[in-house]
Amino acid sequence: MKKTKLKRLAFGGLVMTVILVQTACKPSDLSKENLIPRPVSVSATGSSFDLTDQTDIFIQGESVELKQIGQYLADKLNPSTALGIEVKTTVDAPVPGNIFLSLSGSDAELGEEGYELTITGKTVNLVANKPAGLFRGVQTIRQLLPAKVEMGDKQKGPWKLATGVIRDYPAYGYRGSMLDVARHFFTVDEVKSLIDKLAYYKMNVLHLHLSDDQGWRIEIKSWPNLTAHGGKTEVGGGEGGFYTQEQYSDIVKYAQDRYITIVPEIDMPGHTNAALASYAELNCSGKATELYTGTEVGFSTFCTNKEVTYKFIDDVIRELAALTPGEYLHIGGDESHATKIEDYIPFMNRVQDMVIAHGKKVLAWDEIALATLKPNTVVQYWAKAENAIKGVAQGAKVLMSPAQNAYLDMQYDSTSVFGMHWAAYIEVDKGYNWDPANLVPEIKKENIMGIEAPLWSETISNLKEAEYLIFPRLSGYAEIGWTPVELRNWDNYKIRLASHGERMKAMNINFFPSKLVLWDSKDKK
Ligand code: ACM
């Protein structure tokens, strides 16, 4: 072959490569971006915005809260892009080349957590009524960038955002997960890591199951033996642990900074062996029980006829309420098989009043609907639809956590290493493919406060094991809570989820690689 032809071929190859690389690197269709949860509306304008070393984040005015959100975004972008993005303030309109965050307060449809993101070739303009909306919109900006933006070290650009407008707001006001830190203890850093992931998928609640038969995990200063003794072990006999009130407040603040509310749960009158082992007087027999490290349920109960039980509960609720900026305290109420129903009902009635007296609203598992629900008590449907229906009949709202659809500790299939399957096997499609407002005919959308995906920890003892059960199902629950049901379908979702494999890898998440999803093998952008 002649040299010139070779050269031409080589040149042609180079041109092709450049075109291919450019095409691959250039997201220009906003409507094709793989966002989870899927936004309410996306309109694409077919071009792109470049993050460069000239790009900064401008916030409108001197708000400390907006600065914090801007800094959160800068801290997410800077390690991987190495663009040295700074947070600056301005009173004016968006400055070309930059990201602009501002509050408008005039768009009722966006509500408390909605946002509008307008990306042009010149600016990225994020507007919301409330800081929480800006924070949710910031997660969208993260997801519009290549997956490697989530890496902790410098990556190669370019860093482009497709142009257009996203208007977005949640279907439900409560979108949460639960972590059982009682069966196995999880450290403050492990809880914070989960909070980060909830934030990424626009969830806004983390319910912490702080006490159970196997362990008491929150310091109560007026009853110190709860943690000194009752926090000493966990399922399998490991060393357990507990949060001091300072550590717990640190978790609450970390969550608050991510617009996530911590809902603390003290389970009662059953699931109380750790407390009964710590204080003899809480037992009807007057004798302390042994610490328990097995996985049976339904064998323990507070002595509902003793006044000291209520003095104890009042102290616990008082201290916990003081640590809780959120509206709700969870009082459990599930599987109290060792409590007679004629004792259970007055007990739950009295404890609801105590929570209200300390300025909080009650959340409890669905069995509470057997009692008389106080105004604002919310029933968390996990097991029996008939209980949830009783709750609705009493005028209560329902939090949807049906075990057969939404329990994160249910195994994916019969080969799953961790988890259980007493309610169901929940593959990724089954976890996604249901509508809270269309599951039980008597429970309609207007009866529903939201959705929560609980993770019980009998079979898992650290964050990596927890992640295997949480991911990739969590993003599906996040989408159920956020996206209008008309915009949700599995075939569309599984394509978006496939591209989140790279994102989860970049975030070092140990996810279950479900065979139902054709995971992207590399970062395509
Ligand atoms: C529960 O799973 N016992 C609420």
Side-chain angles (χ1 to χ4, degrees):
M1 212 184 290
K2 278 183 147 163
K3 220 173 167 188
T4 45
K5 192 163 182 198
L6 255 178
K7 263 191 189 161
R8 230 180 284 140
L9 271 176
F11 180 69
L14 188 66
V15 169
M16 277 301 288
T17 312
V18 169
I19 290 171
L20 281 173
V21 167
Q22 275 197 340
T23 318
C25 287
K26 196 169 183 187
S28 55
D29 189 348
L30 190 63
S31 66
K32 297 233 163 61
E33 291 295 330
N34 294 311
L35 295 167
I36 301 178
R38 188 177 190 177
V40 171
S41 97
V42 178
S43 61
T45 49
S47 175
S48 62
F49 172 91
D50 273 275
L51 286 186
T52 70
D53 59 6
Q54 299 300 304
T55 304
D56 286 314
I57 298 167
F58 282 79
I59 59 154
Q60 192 176 38
E62 290 295 330
S63 157
V64 173
E65 201 171 353
L66 262 59
K67 265 188 205 156
Q68 206 176 312
I69 295 169
Q71 195 57 52
Y72 170 94
L73 178 58
D75 291 346
K76 292 291 173 203
L77 303 183
N78 281 330
S80 53
T81 65
L83 294 174
I85 295 167
E86 290 175 15
V87 179
K88 299 181 170 167
T89 57
T90 175
V91 284
D92 301 323
V95 187
N98 295 296
I99 299 170
F100 187 61
L101 312 182
S102 67
L103 295 177
S104 78
S106 58
D107 192 332
E109 193 181 43
L110 295 181
E112 299 279 312
E113 292 183 274
Y115 64 92
E116 187 172 277
L117 177 63
T118 305
I119 304 169
T120 68
K122 292 208 172 83
T123 57
V124 175
N125 190 15
L126 180 61
V127 185
N129 292 331
K130 294 279 168 64
L134 290 178
F135 188 81
R136 306 293 174 233
V138 157
Q139 309 311 317
T140 300
I141 294 173
R142 288 172 69 186
Q143 290 194 14
L144 290 174
L145 286 161
K148 61 192 171 195
V149 79
E150 301 301 334
M151 307 279 276
D153 55 350
K154 187 174 174 189
Q155 303 293 312
K156 219 164 150 296
W159 305 102
K160 289 172 183 288
L161 292 151
T163 59
V165 181
I166 297 178
R167 266 184 77 76
D168 203 12
Y169 45 87
Y172 292 99
Y174 185 120
R175 306 173 307 280
S177 185
M178 186 206 82
L179 182 62
D180 170 10
V181 296
R183 269 50 175 276
H184 281 100
F185 182 65
F186 289 81
T187 64
V188 170
D189 284 344
E190 288 177 319
V191 176
K192 286 182 176 175
S193 172
L194 176 56
I195 290 169
D196 285 336
K197 311 310 181 306
L198 296 179
Y200 188 66
Y201 288 112
K202 300 188 175 75
M203 283 188 149
N204 63 2
V205 179
L206 176 62
H207 164 185
L208 288 176
H209 183 75
L210 291 168
S211 69
D212 212 303
D213 292 318
Q214 298 86 348
W216 187 284
R217 308 299 180 204
I218 176 75
E219 177 191 24
I220 300 295
K221 292 186 193 279
S222 52
W223 295 77
N225 214 35
L226 287 170
T227 44
H229 184 66
K232 260 204 310 231
T233 191
E234 61 182 10
V235 165
E239 73 178 22
F242 67 92
Y243 310 118
T244 63
Q245 293 200 353
E246 290 68 28
Q247 288 171 324
Y248 184 77
S249 294
D250 180 37
I251 291 173
V252 169
K253 169 78 168 61
Y254 190 85
Q256 256 183 327
D257 287 346
R258 285 149 187 78
Y259 299 88
I260 289 174
T261 304
I262 299 291
V263 172
E265 178 186 353
I266 300 297
D267 205 346
M268 60 184 105
H271 289 282
T272 41
N273 185 70
L276 297 168
S278 305
Y279 287 98
E281 60 266 45
L282 300 177
N283 295 270
C284 286
S285 67
K287 284 220 293 268
T289 59
E290 294 295 316
L291 290 172
Y292 182 69
T293 60
T295 59
E296 294 299 313
V297 297
F299 61 88
S300 57
T301 182
F302 280 148
C303 192
T304 60
N305 303 321
K306 272 183 159 179
E307 222 24 56
V308 66
T309 298
Y310 298 95
K311 162 86 177 100
F312 166 80
I313 293 169
D314 194 57
D315 286 340
V316 169
I317 290 174
R318 177 173 37 77
E319 291 197 32
L320 203 53
L323 296 169
T324 303
E327 293 178 280
Y328 289 97
L329 292 193
H330 202 302
I331 57 171
D334 58 318
E335 298 176 308
S336 288
H337 307 319
T339 321
K340 290 196 192 100
I341 188 72
E342 57 270 31
D343 295 333
Y344 176 86
I345 290 172
F347 175 88
M348 293 308 279
N349 288 344
R350 188 163 169 187
V351 176
Q352 286 182 80
D353 283 335
M354 294 163 105
V355 170
I356 293 164
H358 289 291
K360 298 294 172 188
K361 296 175 183 168
V362 174
L363 240 174
W365 300 107
D366 62 50
E367 291 92 326
I368 195 176
L370 301 171
T372 306
L373 301 180
K374 306 292 171 175
N376 300 317
T377 289
V378 173
V379 174
Q380 184 165 13
Y381 168 39
W382 71 279
K384 285 197 175 163
E386 67 190 73
N387 288 342
I389 293 165
K390 280 196 178 96
V392 170
Q394 293 193 59
K397 291 261 193 242
V398 178
L399 177 60
M400 296 296 282
S401 306
Q404 70 275 18
N405 303 86
Y407 264 28
L408 285 165
D409 59 313
M410 289 300 112
Q411 294 171 322
Y412 295 94
D413 59 31
S414 61
T415 68
S416 295
V417 188
F418 302 108
M420 301 190 272
H421 56 265
W422 57 262
Y425 290 115
I426 306 181
E427 243 292 8
V428 180
D429 58 344
K430 181 172 162 72
Y432 177 80
N433 246 334
W434 61 285
D435 174 14
N438 203 7
L439 196 67
V440 179
E442 294 86 344
I443 307 175
K444 306 196 174 10
K445 177 140 198 268
E446 63 266 27
N447 308 123
I448 297 174
M449 175 164 78
I451 164 173
E452 183 181 291
L455 179 64
W456 300 99
S457 64
E458 287 95 331
T459 65
I460 49 167
S461 61
N462 59 50
L463 184 64
K464 286 294 143 204
E465 293 170 4
E467 284 178 352
Y468 180 85
L469 289 172
I470 297 171
F471 301 98
R473 288 182 290 201
L474 185 87
S475 49
Y477 298 122
E479 180 150 311
I480 294 173
W482 183 282
T483 304
V485 66
E486 317 79 73
L487 292 181
R488 291 205 290 109
N489 75 76
W490 167 250
D491 287 335
N492 174 287
Y493 174 71
K494 75 177 179 194
I495 292 165
R496 285 178 288 123
L497 182 58
S499 85
H500 277 242
E502 286 304 309
R503 292 183 185 275
M504 288 188 281
K505 275 190 213 156
M507 287 187 261
N508 201 22
I509 293 173
N510 177 35
F511 66 98
F512 167 70
S514 168
K515 292 196 173 59
L516 302 179
V517 179
L518 293 170
W519 300 102
D520 286 3
S521 57
K522 63 180 173 47
D523 185 1
K524 285 186 180 154
K525 284 182 190 169

